Amino acid sequence: MKGMRKIKRGKSFAGVVRYVLQPGEHHKSDPIVIGGNILSDSAFELIAEFDGTKQLRPDVQKAVWHNSLRLPDGESLTAEQWSSIADDYMRRMGFSDTHLRCYVLHDDDGQHIHIIASRIDLNGGKLYLGRNENLISTQIISKLEVAHGLTVRACLPFCVNAFS
């Protein structure tokens, strides 16, 4: 499994939600919300719910956090398996249960999920900072492969201690 080269941060929940839920000819099936801790599954409602977190911290310019997790070509998981892996990933990344998030499944050239989260915690507005998160994400993904019985990809030199 692999993540995006660089975890994205942004200003607009509307932009990323519309992007990940947009149907396309390259998809084997339309993208669907499969998990997270958000109550909605329509684009309009997701955007409204995520935007509500921005009111807790109007000083934060980039409240949006976005990453994806992709399986090797030809492999697939159920929605429940993906959701469990994504919950484990977010916990290991340092997000609390009170950071809003949703997981959207895409099935095209390599099944993958998009994870959209608010960096603003609903409990007091604490901000997720995520220092060195690209490196940490790579290490966590290596651990998830083992923990969830996924195909283990070759470890790069910087993830030597990933299994510690």
Side-chain angles (χ1 to χ4, degrees), residues 39-109:
L39 302 174
S40 311
D41 63 358
S42 76
F44 178 78
E45 292 172 340
L46 285 169
I47 293 164
E49 202 167 343
F50 274 125
D51 279 346
T53 66
K54 292 165 123 180
Q55 295 173 6
L56 295 171
R57 291 289 301 270
D59 59 309
V60 175
Q61 293 296 311
K62 293 187 175 183
V64 178
W65 188 93
H66 174 217
N67 195 9
S68 66
L69 302 176
R70 178 179 293 276
L71 291 175
D73 288 345
E75 294 187 18
S76 64
L77 297 171
T78 66
E80 293 77 22
Q81 289 171 311
W82 267 122
S83 189
S84 174
I85 290 167
D87 283 340
D88 192 2
Y89 173 80
M90 294 300 282
R91 181 187 53 77
R92 292 177 190 231
M93 284 296 293
F95 282 87
S96 74
D97 290 338
T98 50
H99 282 96
L100 282 185
R101 68 189 73 140
C102 73
Y103 315 137
V104 178
L105 177 64
H106 282 200
D107 197 356
D108 46 39
D109 293 330

Side-chain angles (χ1 to χ4, degrees), residues 7 40 94 104 124 136 148:
I7 294 170
S40 311
V104 178
I136 291 167
H148 292 272

Side-chain angles (χ1 to χ4, degrees), residues 12-51:
S12 171
F13 283 108
V16 70
V17 167
R18 287 187 187 114
Y19 168 73
V20 302
L21 286 176
Q22 180 179 357
E25 291 180 12
H26 61 287
H27 296 299
K28 293 177 185 171
S29 58
D30 287 345
I32 56 166
V33 176
I34 60 161
N37 61 359
I38 206 156
L39 302 174
S40 311
D41 63 358
S42 76
F44 178 78
E45 292 172 340
L46 285 169
I47 293 164
E49 202 167 343
F50 274 125
D51 279 346

